[in-house]
């Protein structure tokens, strides 16, 4: 795809439903008793992989007119799949389903695309095995494909070495089936959608600080879920609104869960002109409209507990830093190396190709802002977040940019380019 510079970005947009919440609503709906109705479900490839996996385990899931209806089978009602479960590009699908499969009365294989087969699964294999699970990396490399044979499980107290919602969620989902109590403590609090939704479905779960505890649960009950807009998809339009002159964009109905809203904290520290309007805290997931205008950004240090609350937004924040006065330091973000790609290396490489002053570090990067960007040939390496980040970079660069693997945005935001084209003023 060839992209040209833009003069500004103006208008309003409603971004797709939150990817994390969409995944979890299908999973919990499938193992709940009764019907779960999901509004605002993300029709991206990753979430559709989750639907496919549960359909192959006997769950009736309808997807009509923007509403997904899951006819739950109960905690012990899933059926053995007749073939390996294909998780596509979705780490969330792979890791969270592992926790559910660990306690089922059958054996299953989880696999996925080339990217999934490189992502670390030892981080769930270890704690699930401690609970009594029979889970193995088929190739012995700690990655998918995984062979999981359901076994009776026992609760554990687990100190996770990483702040990862996927790891925490896999353990908590297994904990629904495990005798006694299962407790997970993280170094910092990761996104808590699983804890909120488990409570919503009737699980005996509580949280205290960075520790989540679940007790063996006899039954979950279907519910009605409205999925808010994904802040990880909103960040692209927010960044464009900040770095392009004479811009104003309203991003509607965005989830602002505190465990996901690190972006808002960092934007404030950078001096962004970003205002929350129409805040709604009535549901389990708070929402707001984000009003973003052209901003005079300042460099800042991004580290510590804010990192897990914005891990998917960091590539775009690195782009914003290129347009900030002074130095921005991103640290404590080594988790970026094991996403769909090594996002630290590739963000630094591609920003440098466009003329930015970026230094890659072991756990982040150092960006000295103020150098104008120019067009370049950019490879997204089939990583949807990189494709969207550098589509925005192209709008603010001099000359044209060629974006390879541009179509991989279908993983989380199939209509991204359509929405972007509607807002761009050339």
């Amino acid at each position: 795809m060839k992209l040209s510079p833009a003069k500004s970005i103006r208008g309003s947009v409603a971004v797709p439903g939150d990817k994390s919440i969409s995944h979890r609503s299908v999973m919990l709906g499938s193992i709940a008793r009764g019907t779960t109705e999901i509004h605002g479900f993300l029709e991206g490839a990753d979430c559709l992989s989750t639907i496919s996996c549960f359909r192959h385990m006997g769950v009736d899931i309808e997807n009509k007119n923007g509403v997904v209806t899951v006819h739950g089978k109960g905690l012990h009602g899933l059926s053995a799949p007749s073939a390996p479960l294909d998780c596509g590009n979705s780490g969330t699908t792979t890791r969270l389903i592992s926790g559910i499969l660990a306690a089922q009365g059958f054996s299953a294989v989880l696999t996925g695309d080339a990217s999934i087969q490189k992502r670390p699964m030892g981080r769930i294999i270890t704690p699930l095995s401690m609970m009594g699970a029979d889970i193995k990396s088929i190739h012995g490399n700690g990655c998918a494909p995984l062979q999981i044979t359901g076994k009776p499980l026992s609760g554990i107290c687990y100190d996770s070495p990483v702040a990862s919602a996927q790891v925490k969620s896999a353990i908590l989902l297994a904990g629904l089936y495990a005798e006694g109590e299962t407790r997970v403590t993280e170094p910092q609090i990761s996104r808590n959608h699983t804890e909120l939704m488990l409570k919503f479905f009737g699980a005996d779960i509580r949280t205290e600080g960075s520790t989540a505890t679940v007790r063996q649960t006899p039954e979950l009950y279907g519910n009605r879920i409205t999925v808010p807009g994904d802040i990880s998809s909103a960040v692209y339009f927010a960044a464009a609104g900040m770095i392009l002159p004479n811009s104003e964009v309203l991003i509607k109905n965005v989830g602002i869960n505190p465990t996901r809203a690190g972006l808002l904290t960092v934007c404030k520290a950078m001096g962004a002109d970003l205002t929350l309007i129409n805040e709604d805290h009535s549901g389990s997931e708070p929402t707001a409209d984000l009003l973003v205008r052209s901003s005079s950004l300042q460099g800042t240090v991004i580290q510590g507990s804010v990192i897990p609350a914005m891990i998917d937004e960091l590539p775009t924040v690195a782009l914003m830093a290129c347009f900030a006065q002074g130095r921005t330091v991103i640290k404590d973000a080594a988790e970026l190396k094991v996403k769909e790609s090594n996002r630290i290396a590739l963000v630094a490489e591609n920003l440098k190709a466009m003329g930015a002053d970026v230094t890659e570090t072991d756990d982040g990067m150092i960006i000295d802002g103020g150098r104008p960007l120019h067009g370049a040939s950019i490879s997204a390496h089939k990583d949807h977040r990189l494709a969207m980040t550098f589509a925005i970079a192209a709008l603010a660069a001099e000359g044209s940019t060629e974006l390879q693997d541009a179509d991989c945005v279908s993983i989380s935001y199939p209509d991204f380019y359509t929405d972007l084209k509607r807002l761009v003023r050339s």
Side-chain angles (χ1 to χ4, degrees):
M1 176 178 287
K2 286 196 181 296
L3 294 157
S4 301
K7 289 182 178 178
S8 64
I9 182 171
R10 302 188 71 84
S12 64
V13 63
V15 296
D18 187 284
K19 187 152 79 85
S20 298
I21 297 171
S22 295
H23 279 300
R24 288 158 173 80
S25 60
V26 169
M27 292 184 191
L28 293 188
S30 294
I31 59 173
R33 180 70 59 193
T35 299
T36 293
E37 193 176 276
I38 308 163
H39 297 258
F41 180 83
L42 170 61
E43 297 278 352
D46 275 11
C47 296
L48 295 176
S49 291
T50 293
I51 286 180
S52 174
C53 286
F54 281 95
R55 281 176 171 163
H56 281 94
M57 290 188 284
V59 181
D60 180 11
I61 303 175
E62 303 168 53
N63 188 356
K64 296 178 182 177
N65 303 319
V67 177
V68 173
T69 305
V70 183
H71 300 279
K73 304 282 282 187
L75 283 165
H76 300 280
L78 300 179
S79 304
S82 59
L85 297 172
D86 186 355
C87 300
N89 186 250
S90 178
T92 302
T93 306
T94 310
R95 294 192 177 112
L96 271 61
I97 284 184
S98 295
I100 294 170
L101 289 175
Q104 300 303 316
F106 54 79
S107 183
V109 172
L110 283 176
T111 190
D113 67 9
S115 171
I116 281 297
Q117 294 188 37
K118 295 176 183 175
R119 296 181 69 176
M121 296 297 159
R123 51 179 53 186
I124 59 162
I125 292 173
T126 296
L128 292 178
S129 297
M130 291 168 62
M131 298 176 77
D134 181 354
I135 176 171
K136 297 180 176 66
S137 167
I138 288 175
H139 298 316
N141 60 354
C143 300
L146 303 177
Q147 173 83 47
I148 304 173
T149 301
K151 299 284 184 181
L153 304 179
S154 300
I156 58 170
C157 294
Y158 187 68
D159 289 321
S160 178
V162 292
S164 166
Q166 293 179 5
V167 173
K168 174 176 61 176
S169 298
I171 299 166
L172 292 176
L173 290 170
L176 293 172
Y177 300 87
E179 184 177 352
E181 190 172 84
T182 298
R183 184 178 302 162
V184 186
T185 301
E186 300 181 284
Q188 291 104 22
I189 301 172
S190 65
R191 57 187 69 177
N192 68 350
H193 304 302
T194 298
E195 296 95 301
L196 292 174
M197 198 175 291
L198 279 171
K199 187 173 183 179
F200 191 56
F201 275 76
D204 182 357
I205 185 165
R206 66 184 188 275
T207 57
E208 185 175 344
S210 61
T211 298
T213 306
V214 67
R215 295 189 64 82
Q216 188 174 25
T217 300
E219 201 74 84
L220 299 177
Y221 299 95
N223 225 313
R224 185 185 191 278
I225 295 172
T226 300
V227 182
D230 197 328
I231 197 168
S232 298
S233 295
V235 67
Y236 309 109
F237 301 110
M242 291 173 205
I243 66 178
L244 290 171
N246 304 312
S247 293
E248 180 178 292
V249 61
L250 180 68
I251 312 166
K252 298 178 179 178
N253 189 41
V254 178
I256 54 168
N257 178 315
T259 66
R260 290 286 299 284
L263 173 68
L264 303 181
T265 302
V266 169
C267 285
K268 183 176 180 180
M270 296 181 78
D273 188 344
L274 187 156
T275 306
L276 299 185
I277 58 177
N278 299 322
E279 288 190 58
D280 183 356
H281 295 267
S282 61
S284 61
E285 295 282 352
T287 62
D289 297 342
L290 310 185
L291 179 62
V292 183
R293 297 185 179 97
S294 303
S295 306
S296 297
L297 300 175
Q298 306 293 322
T300 190
V301 177
I302 305 168
Q303 62 182 342
S305 61
V306 76
I307 294 292
M310 58 175 300
I311 192 71
D312 287 332
E313 292 82 78
L314 282 171
T316 316
V317 170
L319 169 64
M320 289 160 47
C322 296
F323 293 85
Q325 292 184 350
R327 172 170 287 186
T328 296
V329 179
I330 300 172
K331 55 175 67 173
D332 301 325
E335 188 69 11
L336 285 175
K337 293 181 175 180
V338 293
K339 289 289 189 175
E340 284 85 336
S341 66
N342 181 339
R343 288 180 179 162
I344 292 177
L346 293 177
V347 168
E349 175 187 314
N350 284 332
L351 286 176
K352 284 179 187 176
M354 299 184 80
D357 187 346
V358 183
T359 303
E360 179 185 347
T361 64
D362 285 343
D363 64 347
M365 58 193 87
I366 300 167
I367 303 152
D368 287 300
R371 290 176 58 167
L373 300 189
H374 55 74
S377 179
I378 299 295
S379 174
H381 289 266
K382 302 187 185 302
D383 187 326
H384 56 127
R385 305 239 177 258
L386 296 192
M388 288 184 277
T389 293
F390 284 94
I392 300 303
L395 301 181
E398 297 176 6
S400 66
T401 295
E402 184 176 302
L403 182 61
Q404 299 166 35
D405 298 325
D407 59 349
C408 66
V409 302
S410 62
I411 289 167
S412 64
Y413 197 159
D415 293 330
F416 173 72
Y417 298 114
T418 301
D419 286 348
L420 186 61
K421 183 177 181 180
R422 181 172 53 80
L423 295 171
V424 162
R425 304 293 180 261
S426 300

